[in-house]
Amino acid sequence: MLAGNGSLVSEFVLAGLTDRPELQLPLFYVFLMVYIVTVVGNFGLVTLIGLNPHLHTPMYYFLFNLSFIDLCYSSVFSPKMLLNFVFEKNTISYVGCMTQLFLFLFFVISECYMLTSMAYDRYVAICNPLLYKVTMSPQVCSVISFASYGMGFAGASAHTGCMLRLTFCNSNVINHYLCDILPLLQLSCTSTYVNEIIVLIVVGINITVPSFTILISYVFILANILNIKSTQGKLKAFSTCSSHIMAISLFFGSAAFMYLKYSSGSMEQGKISSVFYTNIGPMLNPLIYSLRNKDVKLAIRKSLIKFQRKDRF
């Protein structure tokens, strides 16, 4: 059947994480638990921040958006990934694959810039505390978050638009558990030169700009912390950044590791390492920000007390 863009492929088959039958059921339960923890953790954090007025600050506004992105991001591919473990052949339509690719890239790039926004927020809070409320006003926070989503939309549109111009006419088996750029390019019957150029440009921008911004922000933060005379003051300043440092290390570290594996030519190692990037990161983010954050712990306790009081009456 001819697909809408002139391609001879109307559907793809997702090869999944592994083809070893004895691992299918155990992996299904493992990734089901990962997905449940991801959904509960991120939805819980979104709800908690939304319902507690004392968390309506710039820092938690960006955390709200980060949790929302992680919730949507994991839901783009996790259900299809889980089906791959229980069905012998897991198919996805051409349109469904391109939609998944777009949404996956949109949320990944948006998360990249949302983490960057959080670095800038920490810079202003530590280096210019007296101007913090003015600099990080609700209007400014809204503009920054919309810009993050805008960069995600632009990057996803560029990649997906270039993918739509390709023709897929031979094999339709994607050697992955989701529709990603590199596995799809391997299936193209036509030249992927333009796509590769776009990948270099878009990925280059989306790595350079956030990395440079985060690096500069933390250079100034570190310099400011070192100028604080009291040890307690240094520890307090550093503690406000520790969760964010862990989150960006997890996100950028796992992403770099995944693409290094892909660039080495090993698709099998690449898709296994991508689990840390696509599944583990969104699961750990709410745990990192809730277990290491006094405000979130306090909000959780207050919410539990409210629910207990309601149950009594």
Side-chain angles (χ1 to χ4, degrees), residues 25-45:
L25 197 58
L27 286 175
F28 170 78
Y29 288 116
V30 168
F31 283 100
L32 178 62
M33 286 305 300
V34 168
Y35 182 54
I36 290 171
V37 172
T38 301
V39 171
V40 172
N42 285 291
F43 182 76
L45 205 51

Side-chain angles (χ1 to χ4, degrees), residues 295-307:
D295 292 332
V296 174
K297 287 180 182 177
L298 179 63
I300 292 172
R301 282 197 290 269
K302 285 183 177 180
S303 298
L304 290 173
I305 291 169
K306 284 182 181 179
F307 283 122

Side-chain angles (χ1 to χ4, degrees), residues 32-77:
L32 178 62
M33 286 305 300
V34 168
Y35 182 54
I36 290 171
V37 172
T38 301
V39 171
V40 172
N42 285 291
F43 182 76
L45 205 51
V46 165
T47 306
L48 195 69
I49 294 170
L51 294 178
N52 286 272
H54 78 278
L55 295 180
H56 294 175
T57 62
M59 176 182 171
Y60 294 105
Y61 172 78
F62 292 122
L63 181 55
F64 176 94
N65 280 277
L66 182 69
S67 294
F68 172 74
I69 289 169
D70 280 337
L71 179 63
C72 298
Y73 166 41
S74 59
S75 298
V76 167
F77 61 86

Side-chain angles (χ1 to χ4, degrees), residues 5-19:
N5 74 329
S7 170
L8 297 178
V9 170
S10 61
E11 68 176 18
F12 293 99
V13 177
L14 294 168
L17 191 61
T18 179
D19 56 359

